[in-house]
Amino acid sequence: MSERWLSVEEIAEYLGVSKDTVYAWIRGRDMPAHRIGRLWKFKAQEVDEWVKSGGATGSKDDGSKK
């Protein structure tokens, strides 16, 4: 059976971050996300690999205000 698609809310909870952070990572850090209509969907395995490769860290703009 294949892994189910996760919503923004679910992936944010899975990673322990806010939905705003997820949206910022999609925009500025190439977080693996798939647009289905108006919704963003995620595969946990793809996101895990992205995090392990350093995608959630680094110097790219994360959308936060400083």
Coordinates of all heavy atoms in Angstrom, one line a residue:
M1 N 0.8 -1.2 0.0 CA 0.0 0.0 0.0 C 0.9 1.2 0.0 O 1.9 1.3 0.7 CB -0.9 0.0 1.2 CG -2.0 1.0 1.2 SD -3.3 0.6 2.4 CE -3.4 2.1 3.2
S2 N 0.5 2.2 -0.8 CA 1.4 3.4 -0.9 C 1.1 4.4 0.2 O 0.0 4.4 0.9 CB 1.1 4.1 -2.2 OG -0.2 4.6 -2.3
E3 N 2.1 5.2 0.5 CA 2.0 6.2 1.5 C 1.0 7.3 1.1 O 0.9 7.7 0.0 CB 3.4 6.9 1.6 CG 3.5 8.0 2.5 CD 4.9 8.7 2.5 OE1 5.7 8.4 1.6 OE2 5.1 9.5 3.3
R4 N 0.2 7.7 2.1 CA -0.9 8.7 1.8 C -0.3 10.1 1.7 O 0.7 10.4 2.3 CB -2.0 8.6 2.8 CG -1.8 9.2 4.1 CD -3.0 9.0 5.0 NE -2.9 9.9 6.2 CZ -3.3 11.1 6.3 NH1 -3.9 11.7 5.3 NH2 -3.2 11.8 7.4
W5 N -1.0 11.0 1.0 CA -0.6 12.4 0.9 C -1.0 13.1 2.2 O -2.1 12.9 2.7 CB -1.3 13.0 -0.3 CG -0.9 12.5 -1.6 CD1 -1.4 11.5 -2.3 CD2 0.2 12.9 -2.4 NE1 -0.7 11.2 -3.5 CE2 0.3 12.1 -3.5 CE3 1.2 13.9 -2.2 CZ2 1.3 12.3 -4.5 CZ3 2.2 14.1 -3.1 CH2 2.2 13.3 -4.3
L6 N -0.1 14.0 2.6 CA -0.4 14.8 3.8 C -0.7 16.2 3.5 O -0.2 16.8 2.5 CB 0.8 14.8 4.8 CG 1.3 13.4 5.2 CD1 2.6 13.5 6.1 CD2 0.2 12.7 6.0
S7 N -1.6 16.9 4.3 CA -1.9 18.3 4.1 C -0.9 19.2 4.7 O 0.0 18.8 5.4 CB -3.3 18.6 4.7 OG -3.2 18.5 6.1
V8 N -1.0 20.5 4.5 CA -0.1 21.5 5.1 C -0.2 21.4 6.6 O 0.8 21.4 7.3 CB -0.5 22.9 4.6 CG1 0.3 24.0 5.5 CG2 -0.2 23.1 3.2
E9 N -1.4 21.3 7.1 CA -1.6 21.1 8.6 C -0.9 19.9 9.1 O -0.2 19.9 10.2 CB -3.1 21.1 8.9 CG -3.8 22.4 8.7 CD -4.2 22.6 7.2 OE1 -4.1 21.7 6.4 OE2 -4.7 23.7 6.9
E10 N -1.1 18.8 8.4 CA -0.5 17.5 8.9 C 1.1 17.5 8.8 O 1.7 17.1 9.7 CB -1.0 16.4 8.1 CG -2.5 16.1 8.3 CD -3.1 15.1 7.4 OE1 -2.8 15.2 6.1 OE2 -3.9 14.2 7.8
I11 N 1.6 18.1 7.7 CA 3.1 18.1 7.6 C 3.7 19.1 8.6 O 4.8 18.8 9.1 CB 3.5 18.4 6.1 CG1 5.0 17.8 5.9 CG2 3.5 19.8 5.8 CD1 5.1 16.3 5.9
A12 N 3.0 20.2 8.9 CA 3.4 21.1 9.9 C 3.5 20.5 11.3 O 4.5 20.6 12.0 CB 2.6 22.4 9.9
E13 N 2.4 19.7 11.6 CA 2.4 19.0 12.9 C 3.5 17.9 12.9 O 4.2 17.8 13.9 CB 1.0 18.4 13.1 CG 0.9 17.7 14.4 CD -0.5 17.1 14.7 OE1 -1.5 17.7 14.1 OE2 -0.6 16.1 15.4
Y14 N 3.7 17.2 11.8 CA 4.7 16.2 11.7 C 6.1 16.7 12.0 O 6.9 16.1 12.7 CB 4.6 15.6 10.3 CG 5.6 14.5 10.0 CD1 5.5 13.2 10.5 CD2 6.6 14.8 9.1 CE1 6.4 12.2 10.1 CE2 7.6 13.8 8.8 CZ 7.4 12.5 9.3 OH 8.3 11.5 9.0
L15 N 6.3 17.9 11.4 CA 7.7 18.5 11.6 C 7.8 19.4 12.8 O 8.9 19.8 13.2 CB 8.0 19.4 10.4 CG 8.2 18.6 9.1 CD1 8.3 19.6 7.9 CD2 9.4 17.7 9.1
G16 N 6.7 19.7 13.5 CA 6.7 20.5 14.7 C 6.9 22.0 14.4 O 7.6 22.7 15.2
V17 N 6.4 22.4 13.3 CA 6.5 23.9 12.9 C 5.2 24.4 12.6 O 4.2 23.7 12.5 CB 7.5 24.0 11.7 CG1 8.9 23.5 12.0 CG2 6.9 23.3 10.4
S18 N 5.1 25.7 12.3 CA 3.8 26.3 12.0 C 3.5 26.2 10.5 O 4.4 25.9 9.7 CB 3.8 27.8 12.3 OG 4.6 28.5 11.4
K19 N 2.2 26.4 10.1 CA 1.8 26.3 8.7 C 2.5 27.4 7.9 O 2.9 27.2 6.8 CB 0.3 26.5 8.6 CG -0.5 25.3 9.1 CD -2.0 25.4 8.7 CE -2.6 26.7 9.2 NZ -4.0 26.8 8.9
D20 N 2.7 28.6 8.6 CA 3.4 29.7 7.9 C 4.9 29.3 7.5 O 5.4 29.7 6.5 CB 3.5 30.9 8.8 CG 2.1 31.6 8.9 OD1 1.2 31.4 8.0 OD2 1.9 32.3 9.9
T21 N 5.5 28.5 8.4 CA 6.9 28.1 8.1 C 6.9 27.1 6.9 O 7.7 27.2 6.0 CB 7.5 27.4 9.3 OG1 7.6 28.3 10.4 CG2 8.8 26.8 9.1
V22 N 5.9 26.2 6.9 CA 5.8 25.3 5.7 C 5.6 26.1 4.4 O 6.3 25.8 3.4 CB 4.6 24.3 5.9 CG1 4.4 23.5 4.6 CG2 4.9 23.4 7.1
Y23 N 4.7 27.1 4.4 CA 4.5 27.9 3.2 C 5.8 28.6 2.8 O 6.2 28.7 1.6 CB 3.4 28.9 3.4 CG 2.0 28.2 3.3 CD1 1.2 28.4 4.4 CD2 1.6 27.5 2.2 CE1 -0.1 27.8 4.4 CE2 0.3 26.9 2.2 CZ -0.5 27.0 3.3 OH -1.8 26.5 3.3
A24 N 6.5 29.1 3.8 CA 7.8 29.8 3.5 C 8.8 28.9 3.0 O 9.6 29.2 2.0 CB 8.3 30.5 4.8
W25 N 8.9 27.7 3.5 CA 9.8 26.7 2.9 C 9.5 26.3 1.5 O 10.4 26.0 0.7 CB 9.9 25.4 3.9 CG 10.6 25.7 5.1 CD1 11.5 26.7 5.4 CD2 10.6 24.8 6.3 NE1 12.0 26.5 6.7 CE2 11.5 25.4 7.2 CE3 10.0 23.6 6.6 CZ2 11.7 24.8 8.5 CZ3 10.2 23.0 7.8 CH2 11.1 23.6 8.8
I26 N 8.2 26.2 1.2 CA 7.8 25.9 -0.2 C 8.3 27.0 -1.1 O 8.9 26.7 -2.2 CB 6.3 25.8 -0.3 CG1 5.8 24.5 0.5 CG2 5.9 25.7 -1.8 CD1 4.2 24.5 0.6
R27 N 8.1 28.2 -0.7 CA 8.5 29.4 -1.5 C 10.1 29.5 -1.6 O 10.6 29.7 -2.7 CB 8.0 30.7 -0.9 CG 6.6 31.0 -1.3 CD 6.2 32.5 -0.9 NE 6.7 32.9 0.4 CZ 6.1 32.7 1.5 NH1 4.9 32.1 1.5 NH2 6.6 33.1 2.7
G28 N 10.7 29.5 -0.5 CA 12.1 29.9 -0.5 C 13.2 28.8 -0.3 O 14.3 29.1 -0.5
R29 N 12.7 27.6 0.0 CA 13.7 26.5 0.2 C 13.5 25.3 -0.6 O 14.0 24.2 -0.3 CB 13.8 26.2 1.7 CG 14.3 27.4 2.5 CD 14.7 27.0 3.8 NE 15.0 28.2 4.6 CZ 15.8 28.2 5.6 NH1 16.3 27.1 6.0 NH2 16.1 29.4 6.2
D30 N 12.6 25.4 -1.5 CA 12.3 24.2 -2.4 C 11.9 23.0 -1.7 O 12.3 21.9 -2.0 CB 13.5 23.9 -3.3 CG 13.9 25.1 -4.2 OD1 13.0 25.8 -4.6 OD2 15.1 25.3 -4.4
M31 N 11.0 23.2 -0.7 CA 10.5 22.0 0.0 C 9.7 21.2 -1.0 O 8.9 21.7 -1.7 CB 9.5 22.5 1.2 CG 8.9 21.4 2.0 SD 7.9 22.1 3.3 CE 7.8 20.7 4.4
P32 N 9.8 19.9 -0.9 CA 9.1 19.0 -1.9 C 7.6 19.0 -1.6 O 7.1 18.5 -0.6 CB 9.7 17.6 -1.7 CG 10.3 17.7 -0.3 CD 10.7 19.1 -0.1
A33 N 6.8 19.7 -2.4 CA 5.4 19.8 -2.3 C 4.7 19.7 -3.6 O 5.4 20.1 -4.6 CB 5.1 21.2 -1.6
H34 N 3.5 19.3 -3.6 CA 2.8 19.1 -4.9 C 1.5 19.8 -4.8 O 0.7 19.6 -3.9 CB 2.6 17.6 -5.1 CG 3.8 16.8 -5.1 ND1 4.6 16.5 -6.2 CD2 4.5 16.2 -4.0 CE1 5.7 15.8 -5.9 NE2 5.6 15.6 -4.5
R35 N 1.2 20.6 -5.8 CA 0.0 21.4 -5.8 C -1.1 20.6 -6.5 O -0.9 20.1 -7.7 CB 0.2 22.7 -6.6 CG -0.9 23.7 -6.5 CD -0.6 24.7 -5.5 NE -1.7 25.5 -5.2 CZ -1.7 26.8 -5.1 NH1 -0.6 27.5 -5.3 NH2 -2.8 27.5 -4.8
I36 N -2.2 20.4 -5.8 CA -3.3 19.7 -6.4 C -4.5 20.6 -6.2 O -5.0 20.8 -5.2 CB -3.6 18.3 -5.6 CG1 -2.3 17.5 -5.7 CG2 -4.8 17.6 -6.1 CD1 -2.4 16.2 -4.8
G37 N -4.8 21.2 -7.4 CA -5.9 22.3 -7.3 C -5.3 23.5 -6.5 O -4.3 24.0 -6.8
R38 N -6.1 23.8 -5.5 CA -5.6 24.9 -4.6 C -4.9 24.5 -3.4 O -4.4 25.3 -2.6 CB -6.9 25.7 -4.1 CG -7.6 26.4 -5.3 CD -8.9 27.1 -4.7 NE -8.5 28.0 -3.7 CZ -9.3 28.3 -2.7 NH1 -10.5 27.8 -2.6 NH2 -9.0 29.2 -1.7
L39 N -4.7 23.2 -3.3 CA -4.1 22.6 -2.1 C -2.7 22.1 -2.3 O -2.3 21.7 -3.4 CB -4.9 21.4 -1.6 CG -6.4 21.6 -1.3 CD1 -7.1 20.3 -1.0 CD2 -6.6 22.6 -0.2
W40 N -1.9 22.2 -1.3 CA -0.5 21.7 -1.3 C -0.6 20.3 -0.6 O -1.2 20.2 0.5 CB 0.4 22.6 -0.5 CG 0.8 23.8 -1.3 CD1 0.3 25.1 -1.1 CD2 1.7 23.9 -2.4 NE1 0.9 26.0 -1.9 CE2 1.7 25.3 -2.8 CE3 2.5 23.0 -3.1 CZ2 2.5 25.8 -3.8 CZ3 3.3 23.5 -4.1 CH2 3.3 24.8 -4.4
K41 N 0.1 19.3 -1.2 CA 0.1 18.0 -0.6 C 1.6 17.5 -0.5 O 2.4 18.0 -1.3 CB -0.7 17.0 -1.4 CG -2.2 17.3 -1.4 CD -2.8 17.1 0.0 CE -4.3 17.4 -0.1 NZ -4.9 17.1 1.2
F42 N 1.9 16.6 0.4 CA 3.2 16.2 0.7 C 3.3 14.7 0.9 O 2.3 14.1 1.4 CB 3.7 16.9 2.0 CG 3.6 18.4 2.0 CD1 2.4 19.0 2.4 CD2 4.6 19.2 1.7 CE1 2.2 20.3 2.4 CE2 4.5 20.5 1.6 CZ 3.3 21.1 2.0
K43 N 4.4 14.1 0.6 CA 4.7 12.8 1.0 C 5.8 12.8 2.1 O 6.8 13.5 1.9 CB 5.3 12.0 -0.2 CG 4.3 11.7 -1.3 CD 3.4 10.6 -0.9 CE 2.5 10.1 -2.0 NZ 1.7 9.0 -1.7
A44 N 5.5 12.2 3.2 CA 6.4 12.3 4.4 C 7.8 11.9 4.0 O 8.8 12.5 4.5 CB 5.8 11.5 5.6
Q45 N 7.9 10.8 3.2 CA 9.3 10.3 2.9 C 10.1 11.3 2.1 O 11.3 11.5 2.3 CB 9.1 9.0 2.1 CG 10.5 8.4 1.7 CD 10.3 7.1 1.0 OE1 9.2 6.6 0.7 NE2 11.4 6.5 0.6
E46 N 9.4 12.0 1.2 CA 10.1 13.1 0.4 C 10.6 14.2 1.3 O 11.7 14.7 1.2 CB 9.2 13.7 -0.7 CG 8.9 12.7 -1.8 CD 7.9 13.3 -2.8 OE1 7.5 14.5 -2.6 OE2 7.6 12.6 -3.8
V47 N 9.7 14.6 2.3 CA 10.0 15.7 3.2 C 11.2 15.2 4.1 O 12.1 16.0 4.4 CB 8.8 16.1 4.0 CG1 9.1 17.1 5.0 CG2 7.8 16.7 3.0
D48 N 11.1 14.0 4.6 CA 12.2 13.5 5.5 C 13.5 13.5 4.7 O 14.5 14.0 5.3 CB 11.9 12.0 5.8 CG 10.8 11.9 6.9 OD1 10.5 12.8 7.5 OD2 10.3 10.7 7.0
E49 N 13.6 13.1 3.5 CA 14.8 13.2 2.7 C 15.3 14.6 2.5 O 16.5 14.9 2.6 CB 14.6 12.5 1.3 CG 14.4 11.0 1.4 CD 14.0 10.4 0.1 OE1 14.0 11.1 -0.9 OE2 13.6 9.2 0.2
W50 N 14.4 15.6 2.3 CA 14.7 17.0 2.1 C 15.3 17.5 3.4 O 16.3 18.2 3.4 CB 13.4 17.7 1.7 CG 13.5 19.2 1.7 CD1 14.1 19.9 0.7 CD2 13.1 20.2 2.6 NE1 14.0 21.3 0.9 CE2 13.4 21.4 2.1 CE3 12.4 20.0 3.8 CZ2 13.0 22.6 2.8 CZ3 12.0 21.2 4.5 CH2 12.4 22.4 4.0
V51 N 14.7 17.2 4.6 CA 15.2 17.7 5.9 C 16.6 17.1 6.1 O 17.5 17.8 6.5 CB 14.2 17.3 7.0 CG1 14.9 17.5 8.4 CG2 12.9 18.0 6.9
K52 N 16.8 15.8 5.9 CA 18.1 15.1 6.1 C 19.2 15.7 5.2 O 20.3 15.7 5.6 CB 17.9 13.6 5.9 CG 17.2 12.9 7.0 CD 17.0 11.4 6.7 CE 16.1 10.8 7.7 NZ 15.9 9.4 7.3
S53 N 18.8 16.2 4.1 CA 19.8 16.8 3.2 C 20.1 18.2 3.5 O 20.9 18.9 2.8 CB 19.3 16.6 1.7 OG 18.3 17.5 1.4
G54 N 19.5 18.8 4.5 CA 19.7 20.1 4.9 C 18.8 21.1 4.4 O 19.0 22.3 4.5
G55 N 17.7 20.7 3.8 CA 16.8 21.6 3.1 C 16.1 22.6 4.1 O 15.7 23.7 3.7
A56 N 15.9 22.2 5.3 CA 15.2 23.1 6.3 C 16.2 24.0 7.0 O 15.8 24.9 7.8 CB 14.5 22.2 7.4
T57 N 17.5 23.9 6.7 CA 18.5 24.8 7.2 C 19.2 25.5 6.1 O 19.0 25.2 4.9 CB 19.5 24.1 8.1 OG1 20.2 23.1 7.2 CG2 18.9 23.3 9.2
G58 N 20.0 26.5 6.4 CA 20.7 27.2 5.4 C 20.4 28.7 5.3 O 19.7 29.2 6.2
S59 N 20.9 29.3 4.3 CA 20.9 30.8 4.3 C 19.8 31.3 3.3 O 19.7 32.5 3.2 CB 22.3 31.3 3.8 OG 22.6 30.8 2.6
K60 N 19.0 30.5 2.7 CA 18.0 31.0 1.8 C 16.9 31.7 2.7 O 16.7 31.4 3.8 CB 17.3 29.9 1.0 CG 18.2 29.3 -0.1 CD 17.4 28.4 -0.9 CE 18.2 27.8 -2.1 NZ 17.4 26.9 -2.8
D61 N 16.2 32.6 2.1 CA 15.2 33.4 2.8 C 14.1 32.4 3.2 O 13.5 31.7 2.4 CB 14.6 34.5 1.8 CG 13.5 35.3 2.5 OD1 13.5 35.3 3.7 OD2 12.7 35.8 1.7
D62 N 13.7 32.4 4.5 CA 12.7 31.6 5.0 C 11.4 32.3 5.2 O 10.4 31.8 5.7 CB 13.1 30.9 6.3 CG 13.3 31.9 7.4 OD1 13.1 33.1 7.2 OD2 13.6 31.4 8.5
G63 N 11.3 33.6 4.7 CA 10.1 34.3 4.8 C 9.8 35.0 6.1 O 8.9 35.7 6.3
S64 N 10.7 34.7 7.1 CA 10.5 35.3 8.4 C 11.0 36.8 8.4 O 11.8 37.2 7.7 CB 11.3 34.6 9.5 OG 12.7 34.7 9.2
K65 N 10.3 37.6 9.3 CA 10.7 39.0 9.4 C 11.8 39.1 10.4 O 11.7 38.6 11.5 CB 9.4 39.8 9.8 CG 8.4 39.7 8.7 CD 7.1 40.5 9.1 CE 6.1 40.3 8.1 NZ 4.8 40.8 8.5
K66 N 12.8 39.9 10.1 CA 13.9 40.1 11.1 C 14.0 41.6 11.5 O 13.6 42.4 10.8 CB 15.2 39.7 10.4 CG 15.1 38.2 10.1 CD 16.4 37.7 9.6 CE 16.2 36.2 9.3 NZ 17.2 35.5 8.7

